[in-house]
């Protein structure tokens, strides 16, 4: 019965040029999300969008993955005719399972002959007479029947479907996500996308020590994240890490292997980020979760780069991360049991308090710059 979707978006604090950029990107992302659906029009009025479509359910489901949308409502539009508005009010209320309701009217079109309170009262009375079992409750109603009297017609709705919030993906500049096949890094990518970061992925792969399937897993996670990027694509860099892993194996401090591996990842990430004009690296670290995520480890790992490193999960418990992973659809893929480049090479007793001095001493056995340069040169690009 609905042919129109009302889309509300944030953030109120945005002004001027930022607001324009926000809206333009949001509309681009909405268009990409609705691709293939029959859409008659998308129009912008008073800081909201109206989308005309024959298939509002599917459209609303897709918009549920578009950052920047606060909520959507299916809307019934009628002519500016009292009887038509009454009939529409009944249809909208019959569509809800509510026991109690109230009517709220707004009247931007001052030519309409009734005031907002008059119209609310009249429609409330009409609905009460027409829908059995319904009561008015002006304080805590189950649903509010919203009526807007505009120049183009009367707009009625009662459902409000919450959206993801956040900022339109891409509004904030580029960030490079270190994407493993685990649970955490895809969630870190999702939360960065939520604040408008144009996220690209970087996956380290150690073939033949890890299988082709472990790479496929990262590709699949990239594909899932691609549902939230606003472009329906996810740029993914695959870095061949085998030579570096082998070199690290030869260094006489096994407990430092993870630290050294992470320092290489950060160096390679930094070079790629500079090349691609990204402003930050992003990881799925959560403080204290494993040896490489203690404050001392993070200090020693960060010491190789001046690039900001975002760690959106730093304060989260595993259970909170898992909950988000389930909600966004990455969890099932993340728990597939393929080896990761780190699990294969993980030492028995990884250092929990590695110092920069220890790391530098261990790295003095390696041609760090040469290994990094070679790895960067061998990085492949995939668009998934
Ligand atoms: P995740 O679930 O994201 O793999 P984790 O708890 O397994 O995280 P670690 O293995 O210590 O944690 O990795 C910490 C972070 O380092 C990851 O969140 C990710 O950002 C990065 N990372 C680890 N392994 C890789 C990899 N093979 N490719 C790219 N990034 C990686
Ligand atoms: Mg991991």
């Amino acid at each position: 019965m609905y042919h129109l979707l009302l889309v509300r978006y944030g953030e109120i604090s945005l002004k001027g040029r930022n607001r324009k950029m926000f809206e333009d990107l949001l509309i681009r992302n909405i268009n990409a999300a609705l691709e293939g659906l029959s859409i008659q029009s998308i129009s912008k009025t008073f800081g909201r969008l109206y989308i005309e479509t024959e298939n509002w359910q599917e459209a609303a489901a897709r918009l549920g993955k578009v950052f920047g949308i606060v909520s959507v409502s299916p809307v019934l539009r009628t002519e500016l005719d009292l009887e038509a508005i009454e009939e529409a009010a009944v249809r909208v209320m019959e569509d809800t399972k509510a026991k109690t309701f109230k009517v709220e009217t707004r009247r931007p079109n001052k030519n309409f002959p009734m005031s907002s309170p008059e119209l609310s009262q009249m429609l409330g009375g009409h609905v009460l007479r027409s829908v059995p079992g319904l009561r008015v409750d002006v304080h805590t109603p189950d649903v509010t029947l919203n009526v807007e009297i505009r120049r183009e017609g009367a707009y009625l709705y009662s459902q409000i479907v919450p959206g993801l919030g956040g900022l339109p993906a891409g509004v904030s500049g580029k960030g490079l996500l270190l994407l493993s096949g685990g649970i955490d890094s895809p969630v870190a990518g999702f939360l960065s996308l939520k604040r408008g970061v144009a996220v690209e992925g970087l996956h380290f792969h150690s073939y033949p020590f890890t299988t082709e399937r472990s790479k496929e897993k990262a590709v699949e996670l990239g594909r899932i994240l691609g549902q939230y990027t606003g472009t329906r694509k996810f740029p993914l860099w695959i870095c061949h890490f085998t030579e570096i892993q082998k070199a690290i194996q030869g260094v006489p401090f096994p407990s430092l292997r993870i630290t050294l591996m992470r320092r290489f990842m950060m160096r390679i990430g930094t070079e790629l980020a500079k090349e691609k004009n990204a402003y930050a690296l992003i990881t799925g670290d959560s403080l204290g979760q494993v040896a490489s995520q203690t404050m001392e480890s993070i200090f020693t790992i960060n010491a190789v780069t001046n690039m900001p490193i975002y760690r959106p999960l730093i304060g989260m418990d595993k259970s909170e991360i898992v909950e988000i992973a389930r909600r966004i659809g990455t969890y099932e893929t993340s728990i597939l049991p393929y080896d990761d480049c780190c699990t294969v090479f993980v030492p028995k007793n990884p250092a929990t308090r590695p110092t920069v001095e220890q790391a530098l001493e261990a790295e003095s056995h390696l041609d760090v710059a040469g290994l990094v340069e070679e790895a960067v040169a061998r990085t492949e690009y995939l668009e998934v």
Side-chain angles (χ1 to χ4, degrees):
M1 83 185 208
Y2 298 106
H3 299 287
L4 201 60
L5 263 185
L6 161 61
V7 179
R8 299 175 194 81
Y9 53 89
E11 316 221 320
I12 294 157
S13 57
L14 289 175
K15 297 204 179 68
R17 252 181 38 150
N18 284 341
R19 175 142 206 116
K20 170 96 173 73
M21 200 162 79
F22 179 112
E23 287 173 340
D24 289 350
L25 256 175
L26 181 65
I27 292 172
R28 180 202 77 175
N29 295 351
I30 286 176
N31 272 312
L34 298 181
E35 203 183 283
L37 269 188
S38 134
I39 304 294
Q40 278 71 54
S41 69
I42 298 185
S43 54
K44 195 174 87 185
T45 23
F46 300 113
R48 293 157 156 205
L49 294 171
Y50 286 96
I51 300 176
E52 264 192 271
T53 173
E54 300 299 321
N55 190 351
W56 77 267
Q57 266 117 337
E58 174 64 20
R62 293 197 193 179
L63 295 182
K65 290 188 173 170
V66 176
F67 284 117
I69 293 179
V70 174
S71 62
V72 302
S73 293
V75 173
L76 199 60
R77 183 175 51 197
T78 72
E79 309 149 46
L80 288 174
D81 166 82
L82 265 186
E83 242 173 70
I85 299 172
E86 282 182 340
E87 191 196 320
V90 170
R91 286 177 69 192
V92 169
M93 286 311 301
E94 277 176 344
D95 191 44
T96 73
K97 304 275 171 290
K99 297 245 183 310
T100 61
F101 81 114
K102 73 170 174 183
V103 185
E104 246 170 44
T105 306
R106 265 180 298 171
R107 195 179 52 124
N109 174 359
K110 299 295 178 206
N111 293 328
F112 193 75
M114 290 172 91
S115 73
S116 300
E118 280 170 350
L119 189 59
S120 290
Q121 222 177 24
M122 197 202 74
L123 289 175
H126 183 77
V127 168
L128 278 178
R129 285 189 297 278
S130 315
V131 186
L134 208 53
R135 279 186 299 114
V136 171
D137 180 345
V138 288
H139 300 296
T140 50
D142 293 345
V143 302
T144 299
L145 170 61
N146 293 279
V147 181
E148 280 182 36
I149 303 298
R150 296 173 172 268
R151 212 155 38 84
E152 318 83 86
Y155 291 64
L156 293 89
Y157 64 86
S158 65
Q159 303 176 46
I160 297 178
V161 186
L164 285 178
L167 302 174
V171 86
S172 297
K174 198 185 284 181
L176 192 59
L177 168 69
L178 274 65
L179 178 65
S180 71
I183 295 169
D184 303 329
S185 43
V187 174
F190 174 83
L191 292 177
S192 305
L193 286 162
K194 177 170 184 229
R195 294 308 297 172
V197 179
V199 175
E200 302 196 358
L202 169 60
H203 177 68
F204 294 96
H205 184 51
S206 303
Y207 188 79
F209 297 108
T210 55
T211 59
E212 205 50 31
R213 285 170 71 195
S214 76
K215 178 172 116 187
E216 277 309 310
K217 199 172 148 184
V219 170
E220 180 55 26
L221 290 170
R223 201 170 284 138
I224 299 169
L225 285 177
Q227 300 176 334
Y228 302 96
T229 55
T231 55
R232 300 178 85 188
K233 294 188 190 103
F234 188 78
L236 179 60
W237 306 90
I238 306 278
C239 177
H240 298 273
F241 207 50
T242 318
E243 290 310 313
I244 290 178
Q245 297 273 35
K246 282 200 226 158
I248 291 173
Q249 289 292 96
V251 171
F253 305 94
S255 67
L256 285 178
R257 273 179 206 156
I258 297 272
T259 310
L260 301 185
M261 215 145 60
R262 290 277 182 270
R263 282 165 61 95
F264 272 103
M265 288 183 180
M266 292 306 170
R267 290 184 180 107
I268 294 166
T270 300
E271 291 312 309
L272 279 170
K274 280 189 202 154
E275 228 173 83
K276 315 301 170 206
N277 298 317
Y279 291 104
L281 302 176
I282 303 161
T283 75
D285 296 314
S286 148
L287 195 59
Q289 198 190 75
V290 289
S292 61
Q293 297 172 23
T294 62
M295 288 183 81
E296 293 88 342
S297 284
I298 290 176
F299 181 89
T300 300
I301 291 163
N302 275 31
V304 299
T305 181
N306 290 324
M307 181 72 70
I309 303 174
Y310 294 179
R311 296 181 166 91
L313 312 185
I314 200 73
M316 285 192 192
D317 294 344
K318 195 74 183 187
S319 57
E320 294 171 292
I321 300 168
V322 164
E323 191 193 311
I324 301 177
R326 282 189 197 277
R327 190 152 51 77
I328 67 176
T330 53
Y331 184 75
E332 295 303 322
T333 303
S334 290
I335 59 172
L336 293 173
Y338 310 136
D339 282 330
D340 174 53
C341 74
C342 306
T343 44
V344 174
F345 290 92
V346 77
K348 279 203 195 71
N349 298 304
T352 53
R353 293 191 159 75
T355 65
V356 172
E357 292 68 32
Q358 289 167 339
L360 288 173
E361 194 189 331
E363 285 166 356
S364 70
H365 297 263
L366 301 170
D367 170 18
V368 173
L371 286 166
V372 169
E373 198 180 323
E374 213 187 325
V376 170
R378 268 202 317 266
T379 299
E380 280 175 73
Y381 177 69
L382 293 176
E383 192 179 76
V384 300

